[in-house]
Amino acid sequence: MEKLIPFTVNDLAKVTNHRSGEIKFGEKMIVLPKDADKIKFLQESEAKYVLLGIPEDIGVRANYGRPGTASAWENAIKSIANIQHNRFSKGSQIIVLGQLDVSAEMRDVENLDFNDIDDRSKLSQLVEKIDKEVSHIIFTIMKAGKTPIIIGGGHNNAYGNIKGSALAKGKPINAVNFDAHSDFRILEGRHSGNGFSYAYEEGFLKKYFIFGLHENYTSKSVLDLIKKLEDRVRYNTYDSVNIRKEKDFTREMALALEFIKTDAFGIEIDLDAIPNIASSAMTISGFSVEELRQFISFFGQHKNAAYLHICEGAPDLADSPNNNLIGKLIGYLVTDFIKANNEKEKLA
């Protein structure tokens, strides 16, 4: 994990607002001791969840998206550190591993233009470099018996999450993706719109369910491809659930779980599915925050829930002072997952 920037005790102290009579997550969360053997520490720690930040927007840029997702990790960890440690959720269950060092790659993309064919190739190559690092870190976390919670970056990082998990498990995994888009587009070089199609093509992704596709923003070619692969790739649409009311939200979650629950599965969350959340592909119509929280709680309860990935939030694109609300939302989602996952034996 050479490209990891560990989160330190001092880092935690800087983002935790201490208050008399209260205990915050930042006072209880665990960080890697200086000079400790990272793998051994992870293996021996009693904490179950490992937070990893990915402060990049290279995959988003490579997909014609608006930069800004690089800021989500810093925003989120400030909010998570100030959640109350109490009987409902405990900061001591979390190891804050740190963030992936993508500073060199972020400098490299500053002057690249996706409309230029040579620059487009360079962007894809940088995404591939990040893929390798993400998959290695996720593999390491899972082999140590921990559950990764990945925050930040574009949805290109789903590929590294899936590959790392599959290598750790020794077989392909499944995924459910709460998203307005399929991210199952053609293999044209890596970007945030084809993480799942690359993972599928390379044999790391077995079954894939897309929850809440927006009918207006899914191409005919993607729909035709999914139809051909319906034994392994399925979806529902937001429009059918919440607009036409042809399908029931709770029933659709149950059907999606039935499809993926036979193997370890990742829970992928794209914040551009939520209206008015600053993201690379912001929407004005979509599921509510409450529905998203119910979704994470529902899938997080199952024994085969292997990781949580929250991506595409872009606090830098939000109007101040609302840019801190994305971090607060991510904090809710993280604790919803942990609370549900601690009860997962009930759905064994």
Side-chain angles (χ1 to χ4, degrees):
M1 295 194 285
E2 296 82 7
K3 293 280 284 183
L4 177 75
I5 302 175
F7 210 73
T8 67
V9 172
N10 287 339
D11 293 330
L12 209 48
K14 287 176 185 176
V15 297
T16 305
N17 301 321
H18 297 271
R19 198 171 202 177
S20 178
E22 298 181 0
I23 305 172
K24 304 287 185 66
F25 265 37
E27 298 172 71
K28 291 292 186 177
M29 291 193 296
I30 299 164
V31 297
L32 293 172
K34 190 177 180 181
D35 301 323
D37 182 308
K38 297 181 182 68
I39 296 174
K40 186 177 180 182
F41 182 82
L42 287 175
Q43 290 172 335
E44 294 179 351
S45 174
E46 292 184 5
K48 182 179 176 184
Y49 303 96
V50 177
L51 282 184
L52 171 68
I54 308 180
E56 63 84 32
D57 53 26
I58 300 168
V60 167
R61 292 171 191 251
N63 193 28
Y64 290 98
R66 296 186 302 163
T69 58
S71 60
W73 164 247
E74 182 181 359
N75 201 273
I77 194 61
K78 288 177 181 177
S79 289
I80 294 168
N82 289 290
I83 292 171
Q84 295 288 345
H85 170 92
N86 56 32
R87 64 187 178 91
F88 298 108
S89 56
K90 301 183 183 300
S92 53
Q93 294 180 300
I94 300 171
I95 299 169
V96 187
L97 188 61
Q99 67 184 53
L100 187 64
D101 184 359
V102 291
S103 53
E105 290 82 359
M106 288 291 287
R107 285 194 299 271
D108 288 343
V109 302
E110 284 179 2
N111 299 311
L112 295 182
D113 178 8
F114 186 74
N115 294 301
D116 180 287
I117 190 166
D118 292 329
D119 284 1
R120 189 157 66 240
S121 177
K122 290 175 185 175
L123 281 161
S124 292
Q125 289 169 19
L126 289 168
V127 174
E128 288 176 13
K129 282 182 66 177
I130 294 171
D131 285 342
K132 291 177 182 176
E133 299 299 335
V134 172
S135 62
H136 174 64
I137 294 176
I138 298 303
F139 169 83
T140 302
I141 294 170
M142 282 204 176
K143 287 299 282 186
K146 306 303 181 189
T147 301
I149 298 176
I150 309 102
I151 297 171
H155 222 158
N156 44 292
N157 295 306
Y159 172 87
N161 298 334
I162 293 166
K163 180 179 178 179
S165 301
L167 292 175
K169 300 289 184 182
K171 61 180 182 178
I173 69 159
N174 300 335
V176 59
N177 181 21
F178 187 97
D179 201 340
H181 312 97
S182 71
D183 293 342
F184 205 74
R185 285 168 41 199
I186 60 173
L187 311 179
E188 57 184 350
R190 288 285 293 113
H191 55 63
S192 64
N194 58 21
F196 296 95
S197 43
Y198 268 91
Y200 181 90
E201 183 68 21
E202 294 177 12
F204 301 116
L205 178 61
K206 183 178 179 183
K207 286 185 175 182
Y208 177 39
F209 195 101
I210 311 131
F211 197 100
L213 270 182
H214 283 209
E215 294 172 6
N216 285 9
Y217 296 98
T218 305
S219 69
K220 180 180 184 299
S221 60
V222 166
L223 292 172
D224 289 345
L225 176 60
I226 293 173
K227 189 173 182 179
K228 290 179 183 177
L229 303 174
E230 63 181 353
D231 286 344
R232 290 177 57 186
V233 183
R234 295 181 188 173
Y235 71 95
N236 58 32
T237 71
Y238 168 75
D239 311 69
S240 68
V241 176
N242 268 18
I243 303 302
R244 297 190 297 273
K245 302 288 186 181
E246 298 163 351
K247 298 179 178 179
D248 175 73
F249 182 80
T250 302
R251 173 65 177 156
E252 285 301 301
M253 288 196 297
L255 289 172
L257 180 62
E258 190 67 27
F259 184 61
I260 62 165
K261 71 179 184 180
T262 51
D263 292 286
F265 61 85
I267 302 171
E268 293 278 345
I269 305 298
D270 190 322
L271 292 181
D272 70 18
I274 305 298
N276 303 316
I277 294 295
S279 63
S280 63
M282 193 169 169
T283 188
I284 59 168
S285 178
F287 289 117
S288 68
V289 168
E290 286 72 24
E291 286 170 319
L292 171 54
R293 293 184 63 189
Q294 291 166 21
F295 180 93
I296 289 175
S297 185
F298 180 83
F299 285 93
Q301 288 180 65
H302 197 274
K303 65 184 179 71
N304 284 336
Y307 71 78
L308 173 67
H309 178 212
I310 305 165
C311 65
E312 296 283 341
D316 281 355
L317 299 179
D319 294 330
S320 184
N322 292 330
N323 55 0
N324 68 324
L325 292 179
I326 293 177
K328 195 169 185 177
L329 169 59
I330 293 172
Y332 273 116
L333 304 181
V334 167
T335 52
D336 287 337
F337 175 72
I338 290 173
K339 290 172 188 177
N341 202 243
N342 283 330
E343 301 294 323
K344 67 183 181 181
E345 289 76 13
K346 293 180 181 178
L347 285 181

